[in-house]
Amino acid sequence: MNALRTLARGLRARLVVAFLLVAALSALATSALTFREARNAILKRTQDTAVNALRSQVNSQVPELAFPPGRDDLTAFTQSLDRAGQPQHWAVHVRYRNGPLVPATGGRAENGTIPAGVEKKVHAGVAAFQRVTDAGSPWLVVGLPVTYSDGSGQTTGLEVYARLPLAEDEVNVRALVQAAQSGALPAVALAVVPALLAARGVLRPVRELRRATQQITAGALDTRLKVTGRDELADLSRTFNDMAAALEENVAELRRMEANSRRFAADVSHELRTPLAAMTAVVDVLDEGAAGLDPDTAHAVRLISEETGKLARMVEDLMEISRFDAGAAALHLDEVDVAETVRKTLQARGWQDEVTADLPGGVRARLDPRRIDVVIANLVGNALKHGGAPVRVTARAEPGEDGGRLLIEVADRGAGIDPEVLPHVFDRFFKADAARVRSEGSGLGLAITLENVRLHEGTVRAANAPGGGAVFTVDLPLRTGEDTGGDDT
Amino acid sequence: MRHATRSALLALAALVTLSGCGIEPSEVVEVGRPATGVKRPGRPATEARLYFAYPGGLFGVVRPAGGEISAEEAVPLLLQGPNEAERMRGLYSDLPKIAAGKVQVTTATGQVAIRLPVDPTRLPSVGRTQLVCTAAHNAVPGDLPPDEVKVQLSGAGRTLSDQTCDNRQIFVPPGSSSPTR
């Protein structure tokens, strides 16, 4: 039903309907006008013939009529006129002065009445006719007054009326209607053909436009339309091509700029690493000998050592991010026990006393242990640094459509995260606390976490728990059912 | 949508006009001159009386004229044959086509002589009677009754004398005025 309505409102249906209406109207108008003219011509010919024939018959026969005529004379006169009027099938009635009509009218249809309007005209000395309908069929009634032959034009009081059936003309008129209908209907039906052609001509560019738009939406920015013709639709196609070209150019420019900036960051961090390694080695040596220095110098040396270490970590993080950006980060999947992996991470950082771990045994997943270690370490470290104790880590498996999911949650009991900055916590160098200019981390920890989770085709969400504190949830596919052979990259 | 409805209504109206069309009654329409031809009672006849053939005999028709018509004038009228109205009544001429200029009609008291370009004895008898009666029933000097007028037909060396018009040969429709004078 709905589809039908959509179809009926479509361009094709509207064009066809419009064409049909125009065709029907013009065909009907033409037929109606032609019909009217033809019908009037037919009737005029019949009427003129009848009136002229009757007049010439009366002119020819009335001199033989005894005058003033008696009733028998009038009867004989009408019979003679009836005989002469055989081609027209007329029936003649006459009246002398105010006498009765001879023969009397009334009764059968062929013997119908004379209309009063015609009688009135004839009384006044004017020849007249009128078409009437008697018993459902059309008749022509002609009335002629008769004047004296001396040229005075004075009426004699003799009136001749003739009634003619118009049945033959009616048959002709019906044939005309038939012809008009049988001419108009095929014309209307034929109008469907140009309507469909026109609809196709309009709809093809529209369809191509839609297809091209879909392709561009799907990412094929080099899609172009073939422009044919010079109409509005061709203009639209041309404009579409211009738009697609501009879009493609802009997107290419943006990509180039982004690639440049990433490459710059990668190059910078790479270039920084070598001098930084030398610095770290020198600073370590200085740090070891700091005990033998005077307190001010020792403090300065320790500060330099600390900051150099921080700088080295930041460069490492930058290089890690650059590897992700360059698509050079590889995933080395291994089936592991999740509880054990998490516990190892906590132990390696010395956090097992500060962090509550809720790790049911027997949950196994295929993942990259090194990267998951980084993820958990970043999240727990973040919670310990910015949230409040106790920090709690839970891991559990959930059945899902594609082989189950592994959910790892890291929750703290701190103040939580400002809802305004919640969407940005995974951004690079994002600082939740704007006032705290210096931080112990590189500012890339959560960004690296996000990239690692993404590499696993998982997601990571940050939220505030209803009871207070921030909750980070890592959602990874279990992949336990997958082939263990070969590493995913 | 309103536009479509309007168009549909228009089409429907046109359809109704087209389908509702047979022969419709009309007003009273005036149509030209009245018929004429009645002579005033008591006035002398100003008409030509011509005799045409009719299945079963002769039939006299009257044609109104401006004045009295003599036999000399009536015979050429006869030779032109019946007019349209007379033909519709079923009248015809049994005479061959003869140009009016080739016929000479002369009259004397109670007598008419008609000179034809053809042999009068070869004419059909009805055609001959047409000529004789037409000549006798129009104005002839002497004002004799028509059946006493003597008519002479001649042509191609042959002559038929003393022909008279026998009124019994003439078909008189009931109700018409007397063909005799």
Side-chain angles (χ1 to χ4, degrees), chain A residues 112-233:
Chain A
T113 53
I114 305 299
V118 175
E119 276 193 291
K120 206 170 144 196
K121 284 279 179 200
V122 174
H123 265 309
V126 179
F129 73 83
Q130 185 176 11
R131 284 198 305 275
V132 295
T133 305
D134 246 2
S137 51
W139 290 78
L140 178 68
V141 179
V142 184
L144 286 176
V146 183
T147 61
Y148 286 112
S149 61
D150 54 8
S152 65
Q154 196 188 348
T155 52
T156 56
L158 182 66
E159 298 162 4
V160 179
Y161 300 98
R163 287 170 50 83
L164 294 82
L166 291 176
E168 269 181 46
D169 299 81
E170 194 171 35
V171 168
N172 289 342
V173 167
R174 292 246 177 275
L176 272 180
V177 175
Q178 286 276 321
Q181 281 173 350
S182 55
L185 288 181
V188 171
L190 273 180
V192 173
V193 175
L196 285 176
L197 285 178
R200 213 181 69 170
V202 172
L203 287 180
R204 203 184 44 233
V206 170
R207 206 162 44 228
E208 276 174 16
L209 209 56
R210 196 183 63 179
R211 191 174 45 76
T213 313
Q214 281 169 345
Q215 282 176 0
I216 285 195
T217 310
L221 292 177
D222 57 343
T223 306
R224 296 291 182 275
L225 287 170
K226 204 175 84 185
V227 180
T228 48
R230 305 200 58 80
D231 56 4
E232 287 84 348
L233 283 167

Side-chain angles (χ1 to χ4, degrees), chain A residues 440-462:
Chain A
E440 303 197 12
S442 61
L444 290 167
L446 287 180
I448 289 172
T449 301
L450 177 66
E451 294 294 346
N452 275 315
V453 172
R454 273 189 190 158
L455 206 58
H456 281 86
E457 292 166 25
T459 57
V460 55
R461 296 183 297 273

